[in-house]
Amino acid sequence: MKEEVNKILEIIKNNDVKVQQTILLECASRIGSKEWQEDIKKLIKRMDKIK
């Protein structure tokens, strides 16, 4: 799984944060479990609060 994550990060690194988040959510909905998707959504909400 780590290798797949690194591939995704390499692809999205040149995009702005919102695009990165959208791509990650799309990937999560396709390859991750429901719990993992929820954790990603919570992480993005926490990141938005930090901004």
Side-chain angles (χ1 to χ4, degrees):
M1 181 74 125
K2 185 176 180 179
E3 186 176 315
E4 288 82 2
V5 171
N6 286 334
K7 287 178 186 178
I8 293 167
L9 292 173
E10 184 65 29
I11 292 168
I12 67 171
K13 71 179 181 182
N14 295 321
N15 293 299
D16 64 48
V17 173
K18 266 306 194 204
V19 172
Q20 290 178 0
Q21 291 172 347
T22 303
I23 292 169
L24 288 173
L25 282 173
E26 183 67 24
C27 291
S29 70
R30 295 180 187 274
I31 63 171
S33 67
K34 183 69 175 166
E35 293 81 16
W36 191 70
Q37 292 176 45
E38 292 301 318
D39 286 344
I40 294 294
K41 289 176 186 176
K42 289 176 188 174
L43 173 62
I44 289 170
K45 287 179 184 177
R46 288 194 312 264
M47 290 171 55
D48 284 342
K49 287 181 183 179
I50 291 173
K51 291 180 184 178

